[in-house]
Amino acid sequence: PAERLQYMLEDAAVKILLTQERFVSQLASLKVHTLPIDANWDIIAHHSDENPVSRATPQHSCYVLFTSGSTGRPKGVVLEHRQLINYVNGISAKLALPAGATYAMVSTFAADLGNTVLFPSLCMGGCLHVITQERATNPEALAAYFRANPIDCLKIVPSHLSALLDPTVVPPLKVQRWLVLGGEACDWKLLRRVREAMPDCEILNHYGPTETTVGVLAHHLEGIPKDSQKKPPIGRPLPNTQVYILDRYGQPVGVGVTGELHIGGSGLARGYLNHPQL
């Protein structure tokens, strides 16, 4: 919605909005300098094509992502380079993919879900396939693309994956090495469907809020029970992360006792942009 866009631009004190020409008319009401990069190549061509000198330090902000705002107004979460690097190293060690591995990104760049494949592929010498929205929502087209371009690692939301596992598509969608599930809870019913379609693929259940840099807990789902009333485990922390289950008094609870998840460590974001009180 235009109201949300305007609020985020103002809250983040954005000076320039980079976009594409097809969106300019939709953004006309926003009070920000808009630059459609696909329509300004004649201007861009006059500038240097040399790589700029990077003066970024681990403590500098790397990106800002706004929360959904489901419990109030959206908040901009400020992540630093050191937090992202900690995550990239941790998840890459978990996946243990070789240099040259192939990764597929089927989610929007406007969320951190895809950072599980985006930055590890670039940092570990891999190949990143950025899938269009049209193909990413078409079970037959995506399955055909993955057959033509074998993918070692895919990160996806469970409900999205469920829609892609269309029983009428033969052969089905296939990932070669790792399927990483995150963004929402998954269930055993979906995992059994995944195992039928991809018997040789490893499955990682991944959990973490935006405020802790993409994900902090991961569980390698080696066994898929035929029937279970429980949710699949979300696993144990990535390196340099501490996770505790505490009661309302801030005390650790015993095994099997319901509590609230508390997360700390190197992945914790700097804070909320322009809202230190939060």
Side-chain angles (χ1 to χ4, degrees), residues 21-42:
E21 192 169 33
R22 61 195 173 104
F23 297 122
V24 170
S25 60
Q26 299 174 39
L27 303 170
S29 63
L30 303 181
K31 300 164 189 168
V32 64
H33 178 60
T34 303
L35 180 65
I37 55 174
D38 54 343
N40 285 274
W41 283 115
D42 53 337

Side-chain angles (χ1 to χ4, degrees), residues 5-272:
L5 290 175
Q6 188 61 53
Y7 171 78
M8 290 191 295
L9 290 168
E10 291 175 356
D11 194 60
V14 168
K15 299 288 188 291
I16 299 174
L17 176 62
L18 298 179
T19 185
Q20 294 167 276
E21 192 169 33
R22 61 195 173 104
F23 297 122
V24 170
S25 60
Q26 299 174 39
L27 303 170
S29 63
L30 303 181
K31 300 164 189 168
V32 64
H33 178 60
T34 303
L35 180 65
I37 55 174
D38 54 343
N40 285 274
W41 283 115
D42 53 337
I43 299 171
I44 295 169
H46 287 89
H47 291 267
S48 172
D49 59 2
E50 295 293 316
N51 283 333
V53 176
S54 174
R55 295 184 175 84
T57 70
Q59 289 75 26
H60 276 128
S61 56
C62 183
Y63 60 81
V64 174
L65 279 178
F66 277 81
T67 60
S68 63
S70 56
T71 56
R73 304 199 83 176
K75 297 181 289 290
V77 182
V78 184
L79 279 304
E80 299 172 336
H81 287 271
R82 57 182 172 174
Q83 287 130 30
L84 183 60
I85 287 173
N86 182 73
Y87 174 74
V88 169
N89 285 333
I91 197 65
S92 296
K94 194 87 178 169
L95 300 173
L97 288 167
T102 54
Y103 302 74
M105 185 163 177
V106 295
S107 59
T108 172
F109 286 96
D112 63 357
L113 185 91
N115 288 359
T116 304
V117 293
L118 172 60
F119 292 105
S121 66
L122 297 175
C123 293
M124 305 297 168
C127 176
L128 178 66
H129 293 250
V130 182
I131 311 297
T132 64
Q133 186 179 8
E134 291 76 18
R135 180 174 280 133
T137 53
N138 184 320
E140 195 167 352
L142 191 64
Y145 185 88
F146 278 26
R147 285 197 300 275
N149 305 274
I151 298 297
D152 292 312
C153 182
L154 170 68
K155 169 76 174 291
I156 192 167
V157 174
S159 56
H160 185 183
L161 177 63
S162 180
L164 292 172
L165 291 177
D166 187 332
T168 64
V169 176
V170 181
L173 180 73
K174 215 158 230 167
V175 179
Q176 303 297 313
R177 300 281 292 277
W178 278 105
L179 180 68
V180 184
L181 301 173
E184 62 190 25
C186 65
D187 57 51
W188 292 116
K189 184 179 178 183
L190 171 63
L191 293 171
R192 285 191 285 272
R193 290 172 60 201
V194 170
R195 184 52 73 227
E196 288 175 14
M198 311 178 210
D200 302 321
C201 181
E202 306 288 349
I203 306 170
L204 194 74
N205 198 19
H206 198 20
Y207 168 84
T210 302
E211 290 87 341
T212 59
T213 316
V214 189
V216 289
L217 291 165
H219 182 75
H220 182 190
L221 293 158
E222 297 181 82
I224 311 291
K226 290 183 179 178
D227 186 35
S228 177
Q229 300 301 313
K230 296 181 178 179
K231 289 283 186 185
I234 54 176
R236 296 189 175 275
L238 293 180
N240 306 313
T241 304
Q242 296 81 45
V243 175
Y244 304 93
I245 310 294
L246 307 179
D247 62 21
R248 58 179 176 169
Y249 302 109
Q251 298 300 310
V253 300
V255 174
V257 178
T258 301
E260 194 168 50
L261 201 62
H262 286 65
I263 303 169
S266 299
L268 205 60
R270 180 195 295 173
Y272 294 115

